[in-house]
Amino acid sequence: MKILKQITIVFLLCWLGEVISALLPFAFPGSIVAMLLLLGCLSTSLLRIEDISGFAGFLLANMAFFFIPAGVSILDSFGAIQNDLLPILAVIVLSTLITAAVTGGSILLITKLQKRGSAR
């Protein structure tokens, strides 16, 4: 019964995110709205991590499964992107390197700030 409660909470937040997204006067993904709702609920202690941890752990453990449709779609449209494959791969590699550099820089900065704060 506990897992059913966790699934209900997650799907309710997803549904609310879609409803709010549909009501907004501009395009905004419902999944992002749902994540912001979840963040708000966790930050305000409306929800505890234990309230969703079992189902969230299951979703995280099986995350690769959710990328299969995207991979199949890319394979289906390979003919359309075949001529632009090199620029697409260049953008993927470049954006990956930039993301890794920014993430590493952020971690170094935060670590440095935390050490400075604990030294006082």
Side-chain angles (χ1 to χ4, degrees):
M1 198 63 161
K2 183 178 178 183
I3 193 73
L4 186 59
K5 178 185 171 191
Q6 293 179 8
I7 292 170
T8 303
I9 291 169
V10 171
F11 280 119
L12 180 65
L13 287 171
C14 289
W15 178 77
L16 282 172
E18 292 297 328
V19 169
I20 292 170
S21 174
L23 295 174
L24 291 175
F26 50 88
F28 200 77
S31 57
I32 303 298
V33 175
M35 284 192 280
L36 291 172
L37 287 172
L38 178 60
L39 176 65
C41 289
L42 290 170
S43 297
T44 60
S45 298
L46 205 61
L47 278 177
R48 295 171 303 152
I49 292 176
E50 296 81 29
D51 293 335
I52 60 167
S53 63
F55 185 60
F58 168 78
L59 290 175
L60 287 172
N62 296 291
M63 190 183 300
F65 175 74
F66 298 107
F67 287 98
I68 292 173
V72 170
S73 295
I74 290 172
L75 291 176
D76 280 345
S77 31
F78 184 73
I81 63 172
Q82 189 173 4
N83 295 334
D84 299 320
L85 201 55
L86 193 60
I88 290 171
L89 289 175
V91 167
I92 290 171
V93 169
L94 187 63
S95 63
T96 301
L97 292 173
I98 291 170
T99 301
V102 169
T103 302
S106 299
I107 290 171
L108 288 174
L109 178 66
I110 289 171
T111 305
K112 195 179 289 187
L113 290 172
Q114 285 177 339
K115 285 181 181 177
R116 187 182 305 164
S118 65
R120 291 181 185 179

